[in-house]
mmCIF file of all heavy atoms in Angstrom:
data_model
loop_
_atom_site.group_PDB
_atom_site.id
_atom_site.type_symbol
_atom_site.label_atom_id
_atom_site.label_comp_id
_atom_site.label_asym_id
_atom_site.label_seq_id
_atom_site.Cartn_x
_atom_site.Cartn_y
_atom_site.Cartn_z
ATOM 1 N N SER U 234 -90.824 -23.688 79.536
ATOM 2 C CA SER U 234 -90.064 -24.601 80.391
ATOM 3 C C SER U 234 -88.674 -24.030 80.636
ATOM 4 O O SER U 234 -88.213 -23.138 79.931
ATOM 5 C CB SER U 234 -89.953 -25.977 79.722
ATOM 6 O OG SER U 234 -91.217 -26.492 79.374
ATOM 7 N N PHE U 235 -88.005 -24.601 81.636
ATOM 8 C CA PHE U 235 -86.625 -24.236 81.938
ATOM 9 C C PHE U 235 -85.698 -25.314 81.398
ATOM 10 O O PHE U 235 -85.997 -26.515 81.467
ATOM 11 C CB PHE U 235 -86.422 -24.071 83.442
ATOM 12 C CG PHE U 235 -87.092 -22.859 84.013
ATOM 13 C CD1 PHE U 235 -88.255 -22.973 84.749
ATOM 14 C CD2 PHE U 235 -86.572 -21.589 83.800
ATOM 15 C CE1 PHE U 235 -88.890 -21.856 85.272
ATOM 16 C CE2 PHE U 235 -87.189 -20.463 84.321
ATOM 17 C CZ PHE U 235 -88.350 -20.604 85.053
ATOM 18 N N VAL U 236 -84.560 -24.881 80.853
ATOM 19 C CA VAL U 236 -83.598 -25.793 80.228
ATOM 20 C C VAL U 236 -82.216 -25.542 80.808
ATOM 21 O O VAL U 236 -81.797 -24.382 80.960
ATOM 22 C CB VAL U 236 -83.562 -25.601 78.688
ATOM 23 C CG1 VAL U 236 -82.565 -26.541 78.051
ATOM 24 C CG2 VAL U 236 -84.951 -25.807 78.098
ATOM 25 N N ASN U 237 -81.512 -26.614 81.121
ATOM 26 C CA ASN U 237 -80.115 -26.522 81.537
ATOM 27 C C ASN U 237 -79.241 -26.614 80.296
ATOM 28 O O ASN U 237 -79.161 -27.672 79.663
ATOM 29 C CB ASN U 237 -79.774 -27.645 82.517
ATOM 30 C CG ASN U 237 -78.296 -27.680 82.868
ATOM 31 O OD1 ASN U 237 -77.575 -26.692 82.693
ATOM 32 N ND2 ASN U 237 -77.821 -28.809 83.362
ATOM 33 N N CYS U 238 -78.600 -25.512 79.949
ATOM 34 C CA CYS U 238 -77.747 -25.463 78.758
ATOM 35 C C CYS U 238 -76.264 -25.371 79.130
ATOM 36 O O CYS U 238 -75.447 -24.933 78.314
ATOM 37 C CB CYS U 238 -78.130 -24.280 77.874
ATOM 38 S SG CYS U 238 -79.741 -24.453 77.079
ATOM 39 N N GLY U 239 -75.921 -25.767 80.346
ATOM 40 C CA GLY U 239 -74.528 -25.732 80.760
ATOM 41 C C GLY U 239 -74.009 -24.343 81.033
ATOM 42 O O GLY U 239 -72.804 -24.095 80.946
ATOM 43 N N MET U 240 -74.907 -23.408 81.400
ATOM 44 C CA MET U 240 -74.524 -22.034 81.691
ATOM 45 C C MET U 240 -74.747 -21.756 83.182
ATOM 46 O O MET U 240 -75.318 -22.566 83.907
ATOM 47 C CB MET U 240 -75.352 -21.066 80.835
ATOM 48 C CG MET U 240 -75.310 -21.362 79.346
ATOM 49 S SD MET U 240 -76.482 -20.382 78.403
ATOM 50 C CE MET U 240 -75.792 -18.751 78.573
ATOM 51 N N ARG U 241 -74.296 -20.605 83.620
ATOM 52 C CA ARG U 241 -74.493 -20.236 85.018
ATOM 53 C C ARG U 241 -75.963 -19.942 85.314
ATOM 54 O O ARG U 241 -76.411 -20.053 86.448
ATOM 55 C CB ARG U 241 -73.632 -19.021 85.369
ATOM 56 C CG ARG U 241 -72.136 -19.264 85.194
ATOM 57 C CD ARG U 241 -71.315 -18.127 85.703
ATOM 58 N NE ARG U 241 -69.903 -18.308 85.376
ATOM 59 C CZ ARG U 241 -69.057 -19.046 86.075
ATOM 60 N NH1 ARG U 241 -69.487 -19.680 87.160
ATOM 61 N NH2 ARG U 241 -67.790 -19.156 85.702
ATOM 62 N N LYS U 242 -76.711 -19.559 84.281
ATOM 63 C CA LYS U 242 -78.138 -19.307 84.430
ATOM 64 C C LYS U 242 -78.923 -20.291 83.569
ATOM 65 O O LYS U 242 -78.458 -20.700 82.504
ATOM 66 C CB LYS U 242 -78.482 -17.872 84.005
ATOM 67 C CG LYS U 242 -77.813 -16.796 84.839
ATOM 68 C CD LYS U 242 -78.179 -15.418 84.318
ATOM 69 C CE LYS U 242 -77.481 -14.322 85.122
ATOM 70 N NZ LYS U 242 -77.821 -12.976 84.598
ATOM 71 N N GLU U 243 -80.093 -20.643 84.045
ATOM 72 C CA GLU U 243 -80.961 -21.505 83.258
ATOM 73 C C GLU U 243 -81.601 -20.704 82.120
ATOM 74 O O GLU U 243 -81.673 -19.479 82.164
ATOM 75 C CB GLU U 243 -82.037 -22.119 84.155
ATOM 76 C CG GLU U 243 -81.466 -23.064 85.201
ATOM 77 C CD GLU U 243 -82.523 -23.519 86.185
ATOM 78 O OE1 GLU U 243 -83.649 -22.992 86.126
ATOM 79 O OE2 GLU U 243 -82.211 -24.391 87.021
ATOM 80 N N VAL U 244 -82.058 -21.428 81.111
ATOM 81 C CA VAL U 244 -82.666 -20.802 79.939
ATOM 82 C C VAL U 244 -84.162 -21.103 79.946
ATOM 83 O O VAL U 244 -84.560 -22.257 80.118
ATOM 84 C CB VAL U 244 -82.023 -21.304 78.638
ATOM 85 C CG1 VAL U 244 -82.689 -20.650 77.422
ATOM 86 C CG2 VAL U 244 -80.532 -21.021 78.629
ATOM 87 N N GLN U 245 -84.971 -20.075 79.759
ATOM 88 C CA GLN U 245 -86.418 -20.248 79.693
ATOM 89 C C GLN U 245 -86.845 -20.228 78.233
ATOM 90 O O GLN U 245 -86.579 -19.273 77.508
ATOM 91 C CB GLN U 245 -87.136 -19.139 80.471
ATOM 92 C CG GLN U 245 -88.647 -19.352 80.570
ATOM 93 C CD GLN U 245 -89.321 -18.304 81.440
ATOM 94 O OE1 GLN U 245 -88.667 -17.400 81.941
ATOM 95 N NE2 GLN U 245 -90.615 -18.422 81.628
ATOM 96 N N ILE U 246 -87.513 -21.304 77.807
ATOM 97 C CA ILE U 246 -87.997 -21.412 76.427
ATOM 98 C C ILE U 246 -89.500 -21.190 76.401
ATOM 99 O O ILE U 246 -90.170 -21.228 77.426
ATOM 100 C CB ILE U 246 -87.643 -22.786 75.823
ATOM 101 C CG1 ILE U 246 -88.243 -23.913 76.673
ATOM 102 C CG2 ILE U 246 -86.145 -22.947 75.705
ATOM 103 C CD1 ILE U 246 -88.032 -25.303 76.093
ATOM 104 N N GLU U 247 -90.027 -20.963 75.223
ATOM 105 C CA GLU U 247 -91.431 -20.587 75.092
ATOM 106 C C GLU U 247 -92.369 -21.790 75.106
ATOM 107 O O GLU U 247 -93.575 -21.637 75.276
ATOM 108 C CB GLU U 247 -91.623 -19.778 73.798
ATOM 109 C CG GLU U 247 -91.732 -20.584 72.512
ATOM 110 C CD GLU U 247 -90.425 -21.249 72.078
ATOM 111 O OE1 GLU U 247 -89.387 -21.021 72.743
ATOM 112 O OE2 GLU U 247 -90.437 -21.989 71.084
ATOM 113 N N LYS U 248 -91.851 -22.996 74.915
ATOM 114 C CA LYS U 248 -92.700 -24.196 74.837
ATOM 115 C C LYS U 248 -92.646 -24.980 76.141
ATOM 116 O O LYS U 248 -91.616 -25.010 76.814
ATOM 117 C CB LYS U 248 -92.247 -25.089 73.679
ATOM 118 C CG LYS U 248 -92.459 -24.492 72.307
ATOM 119 C CD LYS U 248 -92.054 -25.479 71.236
ATOM 120 C CE LYS U 248 -92.286 -24.898 69.842
ATOM 121 N NZ LYS U 248 -91.871 -25.843 68.776
ATOM 122 N N GLN U 249 -93.752 -25.639 76.451
ATOM 123 C CA GLN U 249 -93.795 -26.546 77.586
ATOM 124 C C GLN U 249 -93.478 -27.950 77.086
ATOM 125 O O GLN U 249 -94.252 -28.544 76.342
ATOM 126 C CB GLN U 249 -95.174 -26.512 78.262
ATOM 127 C CG GLN U 249 -95.460 -25.206 78.997
ATOM 128 C CD GLN U 249 -96.788 -25.229 79.731
ATOM 129 O OE1 GLN U 249 -97.662 -26.021 79.409
ATOM 130 N NE2 GLN U 249 -96.932 -24.363 80.714
ATOM 131 N N LEU U 250 -92.321 -28.460 77.464
ATOM 132 C CA LEU U 250 -91.852 -29.758 76.977
ATOM 133 C C LEU U 250 -91.703 -30.726 78.145
ATOM 134 O O LEU U 250 -91.608 -30.333 79.306
ATOM 135 C CB LEU U 250 -90.510 -29.591 76.253
ATOM 136 C CG LEU U 250 -90.517 -28.669 75.027
ATOM 137 C CD1 LEU U 250 -89.114 -28.549 74.454
ATOM 138 C CD2 LEU U 250 -91.473 -29.189 73.954
ATOM 139 N N GLN U 251 -91.657 -31.993 77.773
ATOM 140 C CA GLN U 251 -91.510 -33.040 78.779
ATOM 141 C C GLN U 251 -90.114 -32.987 79.396
ATOM 142 O O GLN U 251 -89.113 -32.901 78.670
ATOM 143 C CB GLN U 251 -91.745 -34.411 78.139
ATOM 144 C CG GLN U 251 -91.647 -35.572 79.098
ATOM 145 C CD GLN U 251 -91.863 -36.898 78.400
ATOM 146 O OE1 GLN U 251 -92.221 -36.931 77.226
ATOM 147 N NE2 GLN U 251 -91.649 -37.988 79.107
ATOM 148 N N PRO U 252 -90.013 -33.030 80.721
ATOM 149 C CA PRO U 252 -88.693 -33.009 81.375
ATOM 150 C C PRO U 252 -87.837 -34.197 80.927
ATOM 151 O O PRO U 252 -88.333 -35.297 80.692
ATOM 152 C CB PRO U 252 -89.027 -33.106 82.863
ATOM 153 C CG PRO U 252 -90.419 -32.597 82.974
ATOM 154 C CD PRO U 252 -91.106 -33.013 81.701
ATOM 155 N N GLY U 253 -86.528 -33.944 80.811
ATOM 156 C CA GLY U 253 -85.601 -34.990 80.411
ATOM 157 C C GLY U 253 -85.281 -35.030 78.936
ATOM 158 O O GLY U 253 -84.419 -35.802 78.508
ATOM 159 N N LEU U 254 -85.957 -34.214 78.128
ATOM 160 C CA LEU U 254 -85.684 -34.186 76.688
ATOM 161 C C LEU U 254 -84.422 -33.390 76.395
ATOM 162 O O LEU U 254 -84.162 -32.361 77.020
ATOM 163 C CB LEU U 254 -86.857 -33.565 75.936
ATOM 164 C CG LEU U 254 -88.152 -34.372 75.817
ATOM 165 C CD1 LEU U 254 -89.202 -33.559 75.082
ATOM 166 C CD2 LEU U 254 -87.908 -35.690 75.098
ATOM 167 N N ARG U 255 -83.649 -33.868 75.431
ATOM 168 C CA ARG U 255 -82.513 -33.099 74.948
ATOM 169 C C ARG U 255 -82.980 -32.202 73.822
ATOM 170 O O ARG U 255 -83.629 -32.656 72.876
ATOM 171 C CB ARG U 255 -81.394 -34.029 74.459
ATOM 172 C CG ARG U 255 -80.193 -33.284 73.870
ATOM 173 C CD ARG U 255 -79.070 -34.228 73.503
ATOM 174 N NE ARG U 255 -78.056 -33.551 72.718
ATOM 175 C CZ ARG U 255 -76.924 -34.125 72.291
ATOM 176 N NH1 ARG U 255 -76.665 -35.400 72.597
ATOM 177 N NH2 ARG U 255 -76.060 -33.451 71.568
ATOM 178 N N VAL U 256 -82.663 -30.917 73.904
ATOM 179 C CA VAL U 256 -83.141 -29.946 72.922
ATOM 180 C C VAL U 256 -81.997 -29.052 72.471
ATOM 181 O O VAL U 256 -80.996 -28.887 73.172
ATOM 182 C CB VAL U 256 -84.279 -29.067 73.502
ATOM 183 C CG1 VAL U 256 -85.529 -29.879 73.736
ATOM 184 C CG2 VAL U 256 -83.833 -28.383 74.781
ATOM 185 N N THR U 257 -82.160 -28.493 71.279
ATOM 186 C CA THR U 257 -81.247 -27.480 70.761
ATOM 187 C C THR U 257 -81.903 -26.124 70.923
ATOM 188 O O THR U 257 -83.036 -25.921 70.484
ATOM 189 C CB THR U 257 -80.920 -27.733 69.275
ATOM 190 O OG1 THR U 257 -80.391 -29.051 69.119
ATOM 191 C CG2 THR U 257 -79.911 -26.721 68.764
ATOM 192 N N VAL U 258 -81.221 -25.187 71.572
ATOM 193 C CA VAL U 258 -81.795 -23.894 71.926
ATOM 194 C C VAL U 258 -81.040 -22.777 71.223
ATOM 195 O O VAL U 258 -79.806 -22.767 71.198
ATOM 196 C CB VAL U 258 -81.742 -23.674 73.455
ATOM 197 C CG1 VAL U 258 -82.297 -22.301 73.826
ATOM 198 C CG2 VAL U 258 -82.522 -24.769 74.178
ATOM 199 N N ARG U 259 -81.816 -21.859 70.645
ATOM 200 C CA ARG U 259 -81.237 -20.632 70.104
ATOM 201 C C ARG U 259 -81.452 -19.520 71.127
ATOM 202 O O ARG U 259 -82.594 -19.177 71.471
ATOM 203 C CB ARG U 259 -81.894 -20.242 68.778
ATOM 204 C CG ARG U 259 -81.198 -19.060 68.068
ATOM 205 C CD ARG U 259 -82.163 -18.343 67.127
ATOM 206 N NE ARG U 259 -82.620 -19.202 66.070
ATOM 207 C CZ ARG U 259 -82.068 -19.282 64.844
ATOM 208 N NH1 ARG U 259 -81.051 -18.514 64.545
ATOM 209 N NH2 ARG U 259 -82.556 -20.106 63.945
ATOM 210 N N LEU U 260 -80.382 -18.956 71.646
ATOM 211 C CA LEU U 260 -80.466 -17.924 72.677
ATOM 212 C C LEU U 260 -80.779 -16.562 72.056
ATOM 213 O O LEU U 260 -80.249 -16.226 70.990
ATOM 214 C CB LEU U 260 -79.164 -17.839 73.463
ATOM 215 C CG LEU U 260 -78.764 -19.113 74.223
ATOM 216 C CD1 LEU U 260 -77.374 -18.941 74.831
ATOM 217 C CD2 LEU U 260 -79.771 -19.433 75.314
ATOM 218 N N HIS U 261 -81.643 -15.798 72.726
ATOM 219 C CA HIS U 261 -81.950 -14.450 72.255
ATOM 220 C C HIS U 261 -80.723 -13.549 72.408
ATOM 221 O O HIS U 261 -79.941 -13.694 73.343
ATOM 222 C CB HIS U 261 -83.111 -13.855 73.054
ATOM 223 C CG HIS U 261 -84.419 -14.549 72.818
ATOM 224 N ND1 HIS U 261 -84.736 -15.169 71.622
ATOM 225 C CD2 HIS U 261 -85.495 -14.732 73.635
ATOM 226 C CE1 HIS U 261 -85.941 -15.686 71.703
ATOM 227 N NE2 HIS U 261 -86.427 -15.443 72.911
ATOM 228 N N LYS U 262 -80.593 -12.606 71.484
ATOM 229 C CA LYS U 262 -79.476 -11.666 71.531
ATOM 230 C C LYS U 262 -79.818 -10.478 72.428
ATOM 231 O O LYS U 262 -80.974 -10.199 72.711
ATOM 232 C CB LYS U 262 -79.148 -11.172 70.115
ATOM 233 C CG LYS U 262 -78.677 -12.276 69.176
ATOM 234 C CD LYS U 262 -78.381 -11.711 67.801
ATOM 235 C CE LYS U 262 -77.903 -12.799 66.853
ATOM 236 N NZ LYS U 262 -77.639 -12.256 65.498
ATOM 237 N N ASN U 263 -78.779 -9.790 72.857
ATOM 238 C CA ASN U 263 -78.914 -8.551 73.643
ATOM 239 C C ASN U 263 -79.785 -8.737 74.887
ATOM 240 O O ASN U 263 -80.766 -8.012 75.109
ATOM 241 C CB ASN U 263 -79.491 -7.427 72.765
ATOM 242 C CG ASN U 263 -78.654 -7.154 71.543
ATOM 243 O OD1 ASN U 263 -77.426 -7.226 71.591
ATOM 244 N ND2 ASN U 263 -79.302 -6.845 70.437
ATOM 245 N N GLN U 264 -79.447 -9.737 75.693
ATOM 246 C CA GLN U 264 -80.180 -9.963 76.924
ATOM 247 C C GLN U 264 -79.540 -9.198 78.068
ATOM 248 O O GLN U 264 -78.331 -8.988 78.096
ATOM 249 C CB GLN U 264 -80.228 -11.463 77.246
ATOM 250 C CG GLN U 264 -80.890 -12.284 76.151
ATOM 251 C CD GLN U 264 -81.274 -13.668 76.630
ATOM 252 O OE1 GLN U 264 -81.763 -13.844 77.730
ATOM 253 N NE2 GLN U 264 -81.035 -14.663 75.793
ATOM 254 N N LYS U 265 -80.356 -8.783 79.020
ATOM 255 C CA LYS U 265 -79.858 -8.026 80.152
ATOM 256 C C LYS U 265 -79.032 -8.923 81.068
ATOM 257 O O LYS U 265 -79.496 -9.993 81.469
ATOM 258 C CB LYS U 265 -81.021 -7.416 80.928
ATOM 259 C CG LYS U 265 -81.821 -6.390 80.131
ATOM 260 C CD LYS U 265 -82.953 -5.829 80.963
ATOM 261 C CE LYS U 265 -83.756 -4.804 80.152
ATOM 262 N NZ LYS U 265 -84.888 -4.261 80.954
ATOM 263 N N PRO U 266 -77.824 -8.524 81.412
ATOM 264 C CA PRO U 266 -76.973 -9.368 82.263
ATOM 265 C C PRO U 266 -77.518 -9.555 83.667
ATOM 266 O O PRO U 266 -77.207 -10.539 84.334
ATOM 267 C CB PRO U 266 -75.628 -8.624 82.279
ATOM 268 C CG PRO U 266 -75.957 -7.216 81.925
ATOM 269 C CD PRO U 266 -77.150 -7.279 81.018
ATOM 270 N N GLU U 267 -78.359 -8.607 84.129
ATOM 271 C CA GLU U 267 -78.874 -8.721 85.487
ATOM 272 C C GLU U 267 -80.123 -9.597 85.580
ATOM 273 O O GLU U 267 -80.637 -9.832 86.683
ATOM 274 C CB GLU U 267 -79.198 -7.332 86.051
ATOM 275 C CG GLU U 267 -80.304 -6.582 85.333
ATOM 276 C CD GLU U 267 -79.813 -5.773 84.146
ATOM 277 O OE1 GLU U 267 -78.632 -5.955 83.768
ATOM 278 O OE2 GLU U 267 -80.595 -4.967 83.613
ATOM 279 N N SER U 268 -80.649 -10.096 84.442
ATOM 280 C CA SER U 268 -81.848 -10.928 84.472
ATOM 281 C C SER U 268 -81.566 -12.263 85.159
ATOM 282 O O SER U 268 -80.460 -12.789 85.108
ATOM 283 C CB SER U 268 -82.364 -11.166 83.057
ATOM 284 O OG SER U 268 -81.383 -11.809 82.281
ATOM 285 N N ARG U 269 -82.611 -12.801 85.782
ATOM 286 C CA ARG U 269 -82.450 -14.021 86.569
ATOM 287 C C ARG U 269 -82.232 -15.240 85.673
ATOM 288 O O ARG U 269 -81.517 -16.170 86.039
ATOM 289 C CB ARG U 269 -83.685 -14.230 87.443
ATOM 290 C CG ARG U 269 -83.578 -15.378 88.443
ATOM 291 C CD ARG U 269 -84.775 -15.376 89.371
ATOM 292 N NE ARG U 269 -86.022 -15.472 88.630
ATOM 293 C CZ ARG U 269 -86.582 -16.635 88.246
ATOM 294 N NH1 ARG U 269 -85.981 -17.780 88.541
ATOM 295 N NH2 ARG U 269 -87.719 -16.647 87.586
ATOM 296 N N VAL U 270 -82.875 -15.272 84.521
ATOM 297 C CA VAL U 270 -82.743 -16.384 83.580
ATOM 298 C C VAL U 270 -82.455 -15.834 82.187
ATOM 299 O O VAL U 270 -82.684 -14.652 81.909
ATOM 300 C CB VAL U 270 -84.018 -17.255 83.549
ATOM 301 C CG1 VAL U 270 -84.251 -17.940 84.887
ATOM 302 C CG2 VAL U 270 -85.233 -16.420 83.142
ATOM 303 N N ARG U 271 -81.957 -16.704 81.324
ATOM 304 C CA ARG U 271 -81.771 -16.355 79.916
ATOM 305 C C ARG U 271 -83.022 -16.740 79.142
ATOM 306 O O ARG U 271 -83.799 -17.594 79.570
ATOM 307 C CB ARG U 271 -80.550 -17.084 79.343
ATOM 308 C CG ARG U 271 -79.235 -16.771 80.036
ATOM 309 C CD ARG U 271 -78.786 -15.351 79.778
ATOM 310 N NE ARG U 271 -78.522 -15.122 78.373
ATOM 311 C CZ ARG U 271 -77.325 -15.302 77.795
ATOM 312 N NH1 ARG U 271 -76.289 -15.665 78.526
ATOM 313 N NH2 ARG U 271 -77.158 -15.077 76.510
ATOM 314 N N LYS U 272 -83.217 -16.138 78.001
ATOM 315 C CA LYS U 272 -84.360 -16.438 77.144
ATOM 316 C C LYS U 272 -83.876 -17.098 75.858
ATOM 317 O O LYS U 272 -82.799 -16.781 75.337
ATOM 318 C CB LYS U 272 -85.136 -15.160 76.802
ATOM 319 C CG LYS U 272 -85.720 -14.430 78.018
ATOM 320 C CD LYS U 272 -86.915 -15.159 78.577
ATOM 321 C CE LYS U 272 -87.571 -14.335 79.687
ATOM 322 N NZ LYS U 272 -88.767 -14.994 80.247
ATOM 323 N N GLY U 273 -84.690 -18.019 75.355
ATOM 324 C CA GLY U 273 -84.332 -18.696 74.121
ATOM 325 C C GLY U 273 -85.521 -19.417 73.518
ATOM 326 O O GLY U 273 -86.611 -19.453 74.103
ATOM 327 N N VAL U 274 -85.306 -19.989 72.339
ATOM 328 C CA VAL U 274 -86.347 -20.769 71.653
ATOM 329 C C VAL U 274 -85.747 -22.099 71.223
ATOM 330 O O VAL U 274 -84.559 -22.199 70.926
ATOM 331 C CB VAL U 274 -86.911 -20.020 70.423
ATOM 332 C CG1 VAL U 274 -87.651 -18.774 70.842
ATOM 333 C CG2 VAL U 274 -85.800 -19.675 69.437
ATOM 334 N N VAL U 275 -86.594 -23.119 71.187
ATOM 335 C CA VAL U 275 -86.159 -24.444 70.745
ATOM 336 C C VAL U 275 -86.187 -24.490 69.225
ATOM 337 O O VAL U 275 -87.157 -24.066 68.591
ATOM 338 C CB VAL U 275 -87.069 -25.535 71.336
ATOM 339 C CG1 VAL U 275 -86.724 -26.895 70.757
ATOM 340 C CG2 VAL U 275 -86.928 -25.573 72.849
ATOM 341 N N VAL U 276 -85.124 -25.002 68.635
ATOM 342 C CA VAL U 276 -85.036 -25.145 67.177
ATOM 343 C C VAL U 276 -84.708 -26.591 66.836
ATOM 344 O O VAL U 276 -84.337 -27.388 67.707
ATOM 345 C CB VAL U 276 -83.961 -24.203 66.584
ATOM 346 C CG1 VAL U 276 -84.325 -22.755 66.821
ATOM 347 C CG2 VAL U 276 -82.587 -24.518 67.171
ATOM 348 N N ALA U 277 -84.852 -26.932 65.577
ATOM 349 C CA ALA U 277 -84.526 -28.280 65.121
ATOM 350 C C ALA U 277 -83.023 -28.516 65.241
ATOM 351 O O ALA U 277 -82.227 -27.582 65.096
ATOM 352 C CB ALA U 277 -84.980 -28.473 63.678
ATOM 353 N N PRO U 278 -82.585 -29.765 65.480
ATOM 354 C CA PRO U 278 -81.151 -30.039 65.647
ATOM 355 C C PRO U 278 -80.291 -29.679 64.435
ATOM 356 O O PRO U 278 -79.089 -29.454 64.587
ATOM 357 C CB PRO U 278 -81.122 -31.552 65.913
ATOM 358 C CG PRO U 278 -82.475 -31.879 66.444
ATOM 359 C CD PRO U 278 -83.416 -30.951 65.745
#
Side-chain angles (χ1 to χ4, degrees):
S234 306
F235 290 105
V236 180
N237 174 20
C238 291
M240 307 171 68
R241 299 187 187 277
K242 298 178 182 179
E243 295 173 353
V244 179
Q245 186 175 2
I246 58 176
E247 81 290 356
K248 293 183 179 179
Q249 290 184 339
L250 300 177
Q251 181 181 352
L254 288 178
R255 177 175 169 178
V256 292
T257 304
V258 178
R259 188 204 297 266
L260 299 174
H261 293 330
K262 297 180 180 179
N263 302 324
Q264 301 196 41
K265 296 180 180 179
E267 64 273 10
S268 60
R269 187 173 57 86
V270 295
R271 300 291 297 270
K272 299 286 186 179
V274 294
V275 173
V276 297

